[in-house]
Amino acid sequence: MARPAQASLDLSALRHNVSHARTLAPHSKMMAVVKANAYGHGAAIIAAAIEEKVDALAVACIEEAMELRGAGITVPILLLQGVFEPDELITASENDLWLMIENEWQLSSLEQAKLASKVHCWLKIDTGMHRLGIDPADLEGFMARLSGCMNSHTDTVLCTHFASADNLHSDQTAQQLADFKRACKPYPSHLSAANSPALLGWPETHLDWVRPGYMLYGNSPFGQESHPSTEALRPVMTLSSGVISISQVATGEAVGYASTWIAERASVIATVTIGYGDGYPRNAKNGTPVLVNGQRARLVGRVSMDMITIDITDLKNVSIGDTVTLWGEGLPVAEVAHWSDTIGYELTTRMPARTSRIVTVD
Ligand SMILES: *Cc1c(COP(=O)(O)O)cnc(C)c1O
């Protein structure tokens, strides 16, 4: 029997989530964000499954884009951070990769490049995130130079990024949107602002292009807070493994490294072959939920590299070989993230290559 630790990928759920995003933002073009190996799911698999349903894809850098081109993906791909070296402009123009321009250096590199064909550009405006993008006061100068630049098409998309769209009670999103629209008013260009939480929770942000990532993988960016727009989402990744040992532990005995959990009653402990070497977070606390044959049980003791231990004292009929779900179908990744002091984004994204991705289609 092969080691059962695996991340199964439900491509029907993925396509359903793309359609759901389309329904929520029916008047916008859609760019699906597949950076960081599609948030750990596997970029080539995810891109191939949705490329016909989206208008473009987005990645962080040219290496990620070229991996997709190598896998036969033909839709336009935006480089979300633009280029890091002038040579990348040639590769971008030859492979229909769109450029984010977010600073003076990137614009002058584009002006000076010798390219066989023009590239499509997105111009990033900083409206309060203060991470990337030009100051709204510099927009006029950038637009004048882009419209005179031999290497860029004239259909520049103006975009910005929200700092707090996942906080439904913050007024920062409305403030950023107002500043963005005011800055862009003189230009008859296309506008883009919405990431997943904005697409789901702030319809006024949809504009011409939406840029969802996380929600397409079926998880709510609002963590454990409920919102009607997230109810239809279906998780794409289900991380699972199996029980490999069951033992009795007497009251007062400890379980695992550093003895962080002590049995307060006679307990039945199941050992599951999955650990931080398979993408399960080492900082998951005692009590983190898992599903054994669909029933809830709790993590006890430290997460090891290849194993975890769970308390199955109150569960019936558990045997060696039974399936344990760590997150996904029936157990939202946000809940596990909450017990591990992080967000679901990080848990799926740091899934290592060691964990096999098994594709399922309903
Ligand atoms: C990552 C990213 C997105 C997608 O964000 P999600 O919250 O995953 O939807 C959108 N726009 C930019 C600029 C990004 O970097």
Side-chain angles (χ1 to χ4, degrees):
M1 191 187 91
R3 185 165 181 258
Q6 64 174 52
S8 62
L9 303 176
D10 181 347
L11 299 185
S12 309
L14 174 69
R15 294 195 192 101
H16 163 85
N17 298 332
V18 172
S19 302
H20 181 56
R22 285 259 186 225
T23 308
L24 291 173
H27 307 297
S28 307
K29 289 190 184 178
M30 192 161 93
M31 169 175 279
V33 181
V34 295
K35 64 193 177 193
N37 200 25
Y39 296 48
H41 292 67
I45 297 169
I46 297 295
I50 60 174
E51 75 164 325
E52 284 174 5
K53 295 177 79 84
V54 301
D55 300 290
L57 298 170
V59 297
C61 60
I62 205 156
E63 291 79 7
E64 292 181 345
M66 292 310 291
E67 181 196 340
L68 295 179
R69 287 286 178 259
I73 302 299
T74 56
V75 286
I77 304 175
L78 174 67
L79 306 178
L80 285 167
Q81 296 177 22
V83 296
F84 304 92
E85 293 175 24
D87 281 359
E88 296 175 19
L89 292 167
I90 296 167
T91 312
S93 75
E94 287 170 350
N95 289 281
D96 196 20
L97 308 182
W98 298 356
L99 299 178
M100 186 73 85
I101 306 272
E102 66 234 358
N103 58 37
E104 161 64 32
W105 178 87
Q106 287 180 329
L107 179 56
S108 46
S109 300
L110 182 64
E111 288 171 327
Q112 288 155 30
K114 302 214 171 355
L115 305 181
S117 52
K118 292 175 190 267
V119 290
H120 293 275
C121 294
W122 285 45
L123 183 57
K124 179 78 147 282
I125 302 166
D126 181 7
T127 55
M129 175 89 168
H130 299 319
R131 187 179 66 175
L132 282 184
I134 64 167
D135 191 291
D138 298 329
L139 183 56
E140 193 179 342
F142 270 73
M143 286 303 273
R145 282 170 65 186
L146 269 173
S147 66
C149 175
M150 296 244 303
N151 289 324
S152 73
H153 287 288
T154 52
D155 57 355
T156 303
V157 176
L158 300 179
C159 71
T160 196
H161 196 57
F162 294 122
S164 306
D166 59 335
N167 180 352
L168 294 162
H169 315 287
S170 165
D171 53 16
Q172 193 180 8
T173 302
Q175 187 61 53
Q176 284 191 263
L177 181 65
D179 292 348
F180 180 55
K181 285 172 130 174
R182 190 178 318 111
C184 298
K185 205 157 189 187
Y187 306 100
S189 46
H190 292 270
L191 304 184
S192 175
N195 54 0
S196 294
L199 195 164
L200 290 161
W202 306 86
E204 64 279 22
T205 65
H206 292 170
L207 306 174
D208 301 297
W209 279 90
V210 290
R211 310 189 305 267
Y214 191 61
M215 68 167 289
L216 303 181
Y217 308 103
N219 303 310
S220 168
F222 306 121
Q224 301 207 79
E225 189 170 353
S226 66
H227 188 275
S229 66
T230 64
E231 279 159 22
L233 295 174
R234 289 168 47 194
V236 175
M237 178 192 289
T238 294
L239 181 67
S240 64
S241 192
V243 173
I244 57 166
S245 179
I246 295 173
S247 53
Q248 315 290 325
V249 172
T251 308
E253 290 292 313
V255 171
Y257 284 125
S259 303
T260 63
W261 186 81
I262 313 266
E264 286 173 1
R265 57 175 175 167
S267 302
V268 185
I269 302 298
T271 301
V272 181
T273 181
I274 196 147
Y276 62 81
D278 309 293
Y280 192 79
R282 183 175 174 281
N283 46 350
K285 294 187 206 40
N286 282 323
T288 303
V290 303
L291 298 179
V292 186
N293 298 331
Q295 317 168 77
R296 276 190 176 232
R298 300 270 168 197
L299 178 77
V300 295
R302 280 269 164 86
V303 172
S304 308
M305 185 183 290
D306 308 311
M307 283 176 274
I308 58 171
T309 35
I310 59 178
D311 181 359
I312 56 164
T313 313
D314 298 324
L315 271 57
K316 293 192 179 59
N317 303 328
V318 178
S319 342
I320 287 179
D322 285 357
T323 299
V324 179
T325 299
L326 290 318
W327 66 68
E329 193 63 53
L331 179 57
V333 69
E335 203 176 330
V336 180
H338 175 75
W339 282 86
S340 315
D341 295 325
T342 184
I343 54 174
Y345 285 71
E346 186 184 11
L347 293 188
T348 68
T349 301
R350 65 185 191 187
M351 185 60 49
R354 179 198 207 194
T355 307
S356 17
R357 275 51 164 190
I358 309 290
V359 170
T360 65
V361 184
D362 285 352

